[in-house]
Structure formats: C-alpha cells, structure tokens
Amino acid sequence: MKVLVAVKRVVDYNVKVRVKSDNTGVDIANVKMSMNPFDEIAIEEAVRLREKGIATEVIAVSCGVTQCQETLRTAMAIGADRAILVESAVELQPLAVAKLLKALVDKEQPGLIILGKQAIDDDCNQTGQMLAALADLPQATFASKVEAQDGKLQVTREVDGGAETLLLNLPAVITADLRLNEPRYVTLPNIMKAKKKQLDIFKPEDLGVDVTPRIKTLKVTEPPKRSAGIKVPDVATLVAKLKNEAKVI
C-alpha cells in the first residue's frame, strides 16, 4: 500500500511573525522556514505504518515555491521514500491544493492519504476535507490514533466531547492531530541519504489544475496590543466596571 503525505513549508513556529509595512501580508524575507508541525506528525505516522509492514511506500508531496524542496528533503530524512513537488509561484489556497492533491491521487493511486489537520500559517483546516470530497473517499479528521484492522483502518479522532472511533475502508484520507505521535529526531546520516532520494517536479498545468486564487486578501494587520490589567478594591467596583466599562453584564 502506498501512503501519500502532504507537507507544507511555513514560517517556523518559534519565529515571531511580522506584518509587512504596506499591510499586504506577512513578511517572510530572511525568516526561518520549516515543515508545518502537523505535517511532520503525518510523515512520522506514515513511516511507522511502513515499519509495521502495513505500508510499502511513503510519498511526500508539497505544493508551492521552489524552496519547498528543502521541506521535502526533510520529509525524506524522516523516512519518506520519494517526493513530489508541484511548483507554483502563485499563492495556493486550500481548494487549489486539494485539487492538485486529487490529481496526484489519481496518478499515484495511494491506499492512504495523510495530511496535517491544519497549517500554522493560515489555520484553515480545510485541505484534507476538500480532498476527501473531491476524491470521494472516506475521511477521519483530527486523528489521535491509527490502527490497521483486517484491511481497514481504525481511527480514533479528537472531538469536542472527547474521542470518536471510526472504521475506514481504504483508500481513505486522514488528518493528523497533535496527539497522534511524536516525530523522531532527524539524524545527519538520514539527511545525507535524503539528498539522493527521488524528487519529481510538476507544474499545476502538467496536472491540468487551475490554481488561480478565488479569495483576495485586502489587508493584513497585527492584533491590537492588550492593555495592562487593573486591580479593584472590592466586588462592587468589579461589577460596576464590567457593567459600565466592559459592558459584558
């Protein structure tokens, strides 16, 4: 069984994000970029499935600029067997990425597709669900545990009220939650091996997909700075401030 894993290049989670002076977007010039943490979990889970003998091949996929090759090399250092980059300088929105992944699913015919539940840059949490709809595949989002069972997958997923267990027929789409696993440390020998692994590059037009943005960002601003808190002498003053100033009661 092939496992296809989507990975995204994002601003590193340790970096303090800054907005451009003209408010057109986030400033990524000379900023450290890395793999989306949820996608790192997705790659780790796919590699573990291969180590258990459930999967035979792990393919990492990324959509975006040329520098995404670095992210794919990291995925291959974790354990992916080969990688595919869909190269585009256009801003790729969730629907466009889902369509590109759908084209690759048709091409590669994987038995399982794993994505991170969301990206930490746009927090959309849409691509996995859109891909499942486009490819007409069963899906389990926010997966915290995955087990193979008689040619099917039993997935425990995080829900508002606790946990839900689903049994999926394959092929299927899974989006990884934070508690699914802890990604392994990438060693130097594996980083060196990753440089020799196969990396194929396509353009969106090669896959017959139109990636023209459908949503236009009008303005990006930083959230307002929080004012300092104050101490009140008694409950009566607190109630008065909540009622007259904050107007929450």
Side-chain angles (χ1 to χ4, degrees):
M1 177 177 77
K2 286 184 188 177
V3 181
L4 193 75
V5 185
V7 298
K8 186 177 183 181
R9 179 177 181 263
V10 298
V11 175
D12 190 89
Y13 67 92
N14 288 312
V15 172
K16 180 173 170 53
V17 175
R18 294 184 180 84
V19 175
K20 290 180 181 177
S21 56
D22 59 0
N23 297 118
T24 56
V26 172
D27 188 4
I28 58 171
N30 301 315
V31 170
K32 183 185 177 185
M33 307 292 281
S34 60
M35 187 189 299
N36 179 47
F38 291 106
D39 298 344
E40 208 171 336
I41 292 167
I43 278 283
E44 174 66 27
E45 191 63 26
V47 173
R48 290 187 186 189
L49 288 173
R50 191 194 60 209
E51 289 171 348
K52 290 174 185 175
I54 299 163
T56 54
E57 185 180 27
V58 177
I59 308 163
V61 178
S62 191
C63 305
V65 294
T66 307
Q67 290 88 335
C68 290
Q69 291 185 39
E70 299 166 14
T71 308
L72 290 170
R73 293 292 177 197
T74 302
M76 289 190 284
I78 292 172
D81 298 293
R82 59 188 175 94
I84 299 171
L85 171 62
V86 183
E87 193 175 341
S88 174
V90 177
E91 177 201 351
L92 295 174
Q93 294 172 351
L95 180 58
V97 176
K99 287 180 176 178
L100 291 170
L101 292 175
K102 163 67 166 60
L104 290 173
V105 166
D106 292 342
K107 179 181 171 64
E108 294 288 343
Q109 295 293 310
L112 179 64
I113 304 100
I114 310 180
L115 306 89
K117 70 169 184 177
Q118 65 194 74
I120 62 171
D121 52 0
D122 56 20
D123 267 344
C124 280
N125 178 22
Q126 295 173 337
T127 309
Q129 293 89 326
M130 287 177 170
L131 172 60
L134 290 170
D136 194 23
L137 295 174
Q139 62 175 309
T141 54
F142 316 125
S144 59
K145 189 176 181 181
V146 176
E147 295 174 307
Q149 192 177 92
D150 300 325
K152 299 181 180 181
L153 282 185
Q154 182 175 296
V155 180
T156 303
R157 60 184 298 265
E158 306 271 338
V159 294
D160 291 340
E164 178 183 57
T165 303
L166 301 176
L167 191 63
L168 300 182
N169 291 318
L170 298 174
V173 176
I174 292 174
T175 68
D177 207 336
L178 196 62
R179 279 166 285 280
L180 182 57
N181 61 54
E182 187 173 333
R184 68 194 66 191
Y185 178 76
V186 180
T187 61
L188 184 59
N190 286 338
I191 292 171
M192 301 307 291
K193 287 176 188 174
K195 293 181 179 180
K196 297 179 180 178
K197 290 184 179 179
Q198 179 183 345
L199 196 160
D200 299 317
I201 300 176
F202 297 98
K203 300 283 187 185
E205 47 269 29
D206 298 335
L207 302 171
V209 178
D210 178 16
V211 295
T212 306
R214 292 167 179 256
I215 300 171
K216 182 180 179 182
T217 303
L218 300 178
K219 189 178 183 183
V220 178
T221 57
E222 290 189 15
K225 286 185 169 58
R226 294 176 64 179
S227 55
I230 59 169
K231 290 183 178 180
V232 293
D234 50 46
V235 175
T237 310
L238 173 63
V239 172
K241 285 187 176 292
L242 290 173
K243 188 173 182 180
N244 303 321
E245 294 181 21
K247 298 189 187 305
V248 293
I249 58 172

